[in-house]
Amino acid sequence: MKTNKTVLLIGMGKFGRTLGEKLMGMGDEVMIVDKNEDVVNLLAPKYTNALIANCMNIDNLQPMDIPSFDVCVVAIGDDFQSSLEITANLKDLGAKYIVSKATTEIQRKFLFRVGADEVIYPDRDIAERLAVKINTSNVINFVDFDADYAIFEIPVPDKWIKKSIIDVNPRGKFGMNILIVKKDKQDISMPNGTYVFEEGDLIVVFGETDTILNFTNTKESRSKIKYLTKRED
C-alpha cells in the first residue's frame, strides 16, 4: 500500500504546476509556495495548503515547520540565485529531503554543494531519453538507474515467442534481468523461468545501459511491434 507523502513545493511555474497536479493525483499532501500572489490565489483551491512568500528570506520559511515535510521541492528554473539560496535555507532549517531543479550541469553541482539531496535536470533527462529512442529501433521506454545501469521497456523479440525464459536465458545470453512482462492490461512481476513468451508481450528489463542498447540494435531483438503501439494503462 502506498504511503502518502507530505510535500512542500516551492515555485509554481509550468514544472511546479505539473508536478503538483501529479502529486495531488497520487494522494499526497502538497503545500505550495510562490512569491506571485496571483499564481497562489489561482492554484490554492487545488492544494492542501498554499502560501504567498519569498523563500529566499529564511524568516519566511521558519513558520512552515520544514522538518515536518517528507520532501521539499525547489521547482524554480528561471532564477538560479533564488533556487540556490532557498535550497540552502531548507537545509539549514532541517529539511528531511530536498529536491532542486537545475537547468545546467554547473547549477546541478552547486545545488548539491549547498544541501540538495537530489537534483533534477529535466532538459538533460528529456534529451537523453530522446537520444536513446533515436538510436534504437524498438525501445518503448527508458529510465536511468545510475551512470551505468537502466531500465528499459521493449517488445518481446520475435525469436523469443513461444519460448520460455529458461530457454531464452536473457540474463546469461544478453545481460538483462526481466522484471515485468506486460500482457494487455495484466502485469506479471518477476516471472518465473517457465513463463512462455507470447506475441504482443512487452518486457521491462534491467541491466547495463550499453549492453541493452547494443541488444536492441541487433537482429535478435527485432519485433513486429512498433513502440507507438505502447499499451494504454
Side-chain angles (χ1 to χ4, degrees):
M1 180 179 293
K2 178 184 180 295
T3 302
N4 294 341
K5 301 290 186 180
T6 55
V7 182
L8 175 63
L9 178 55
I10 301 173
M12 296 308 293
K14 290 181 180 179
F15 177 79
R17 294 185 193 197
T18 302
L19 177 60
E21 289 175 4
K22 292 292 184 181
L23 291 171
M24 290 295 291
M26 296 175 72
D28 295 325
E29 296 181 13
V30 182
M31 176 177 178
I32 63 168
V33 184
D34 197 286
K35 62 183 180 181
N36 188 314
E37 182 178 356
D38 292 337
V39 169
V40 174
N41 288 337
L42 176 66
L43 299 175
K46 301 178 181 180
Y47 291 92
T48 309
N49 204 346
L51 186 66
I52 304 163
N54 182 350
C55 297
M56 290 179 69
N57 185 338
I58 197 168
D59 292 336
N60 292 335
L61 284 171
Q62 284 177 331
M64 299 181 199
D65 190 14
I66 299 303
S68 68
F69 292 95
D70 294 313
V71 182
C72 295
V73 180
V74 184
I76 299 170
D78 58 353
D79 185 347
F80 178 59
Q81 185 65 31
S82 293
S83 183
L84 197 67
E85 292 190 27
I86 293 169
T87 299
N89 287 341
L90 291 170
K91 186 69 174 180
D92 290 342
L93 292 173
K96 292 177 183 176
Y97 195 85
I98 304 169
V99 181
S100 299
K101 180 175 179 285
T103 56
T104 67
E105 185 63 27
I106 192 66
Q107 289 183 7
R108 177 175 175 272
K109 291 178 180 179
F110 276 111
L111 287 165
F112 275 127
R113 287 181 186 177
V114 299
D117 297 288
E118 182 177 347
V119 178
I120 53 173
Y121 196 165
D123 291 343
R124 183 195 63 181
D125 295 343
I126 291 171
E128 288 181 352
R129 290 165 67 90
L130 179 58
V132 167
K133 285 196 172 184
I134 288 173
N135 283 280
T136 55
S137 58
N138 58 357
V139 170
I140 294 171
N141 210 346
F142 162 81
V143 178
D144 268 327
F145 190 76
D146 61 20
D148 300 310
Y149 290 85
I151 296 172
F152 289 78
E153 183 179 348
I154 61 177
V156 64
D158 290 340
K159 290 185 177 181
W160 295 12
I161 294 172
K162 296 184 179 179
K163 294 181 181 179
S164 71
I165 291 177
I166 292 176
D167 293 334
V168 173
N169 190 14
R171 181 185 299 174
K173 291 184 179 179
F174 308 109
M176 62 178 70
N177 295 285
I178 296 179
L179 305 178
I180 301 171
V181 175
K182 293 186 173 185
K183 305 175 66 66
D184 297 323
K185 296 289 183 180
Q186 178 186 10
D187 290 351
I188 303 173
S189 299
M190 304 301 294
N192 62 43
T194 60
Y195 176 80
V196 177
F197 294 109
E198 298 179 358
E199 187 171 352
D201 283 356
L202 303 178
I203 54 176
V204 178
V205 300
F206 171 79
E208 290 189 354
T209 303
D210 289 344
T211 299
I212 298 178
L213 284 176
N214 288 336
F215 171 79
T216 61
N217 284 316
T218 64
K219 292 181 179 180
E220 178 73 29
S221 74
R222 287 181 181 171
S223 170
K224 296 174 184 176
I225 304 172
K226 302 300 182 183
Y227 74 84
L228 290 177
T229 64
K230 179 179 178 182
R231 184 193 73 181
E232 295 295 333
D233 292 320

